[in-house]
Amino acid sequence: MDPKIIALEEKKLIGKSKRMSLEEDSTQELWKSFMPHRHSIPHRTDEMLYNLKVFDQGLGPMNFSSSTTFIKWAAVEVDQIDPEEMPAMETHLLSGGIYAVFLHRGPASEFNQTLQYIFKEWLPSSSYVLDDREHFERFTEDYRPADPESVEEVWIPVQYRG
């Protein structure tokens, strides 16, 4: 499972966010509150959905636990933001930078295996280190978390180990 290394431009996102942890995971609630509004968001750049995690500064896989809190976003990319057009939504400016992009194939219940591979096998043996920026998954609107044929992109922020 070799990633693509992509230099990402800054992106404008609109969606909903919620602070949570893995122990107190409210991802389903977040996405259920967002999905009915996704088609009414103006200026969308594509049909992709973003499942974004913003960790507190300095947090890495070595000091992350199931009780660590982070802000999770359910969002879409737009090419311009006009807060008056979407008063019930929030905006986030996704940092640009280098990302290692992996494909997770299979149900969301097996996602942790993909993360284990990335952080315990690929990253330590790569030429990269984790960068302190957003992590996110990107998938199409027809993504089904329980489907064994599902595919989602896993974007991990990295910087060259120079």
Side-chain angles (χ1 to χ4, degrees), residues 72-159:
K72 184 173 271 193
W73 284 81
V76 296
E77 182 184 359
V78 295
D79 55 18
Q80 69 183 60
I81 294 174
D82 183 350
E84 293 177 14
E85 290 181 319
M86 293 302 302
M89 296 281 171
E90 304 165 78
T91 61
H92 180 79
L93 203 54
L94 174 61
S95 305
I98 298 181
Y99 278 85
V101 183
F102 297 83
L103 291 181
H104 170 72
R105 298 177 189 278
S109 60
E110 295 173 6
F111 187 73
N112 197 43
Q113 294 168 351
T114 298
L115 291 180
Q116 291 291 320
Y117 168 78
I118 293 168
F119 290 114
K120 299 226 180 263
E121 294 180 42
W122 180 81
L123 193 59
S125 65
S126 76
S127 304
Y128 297 92
V129 292
L130 194 62
D131 200 1
D132 204 358
R133 291 179 282 120
E134 304 97 325
H135 296 233
F136 64 94
E137 293 81 47
R138 207 170 74 139
F139 42 85
T140 61
E141 290 200 20
D142 61 358
Y143 174 79
R144 300 286 174 259
D147 187 343
E149 302 299 314
S150 286
V151 177
E152 62 184 294
E153 300 170 354
V154 182
W155 292 67
I156 306 295
V158 295
Q159 58 185 351

Side-chain angles (χ1 to χ4, degrees), residues 19-96:
R19 183 168 280 280
M20 64 181 76
S21 68
L22 295 178
E23 281 178 353
E24 296 183 24
D25 187 354
S26 44
T27 300
Q28 284 188 336
E29 173 188 319
L30 175 64
W31 278 96
K32 282 181 182 171
S33 73
F34 171 74
M35 289 300 278
H37 306 284
R38 71 190 185 279
H39 291 300
S40 63
I41 297 173
H43 314 294
R44 285 183 66 177
T45 61
D46 57 30
E47 296 298 311
M48 300 300 282
L49 301 173
Y50 287 73
N51 186 55
L52 184 79
K53 290 170 284 307
V54 180
F55 297 102
D56 294 334
Q57 289 296 103
L59 184 67
M62 299 310 163
N63 54 1
F64 183 83
S65 74
S66 59
S67 61
T68 303
T69 63
F70 52 90
I71 297 172
K72 184 173 271 193
W73 284 81
V76 296
E77 182 184 359
V78 295
D79 55 18
Q80 69 183 60
I81 294 174
D82 183 350
E84 293 177 14
E85 290 181 319
M86 293 302 302
M89 296 281 171
E90 304 165 78
T91 61
H92 180 79
L93 203 54
L94 174 61
S95 305

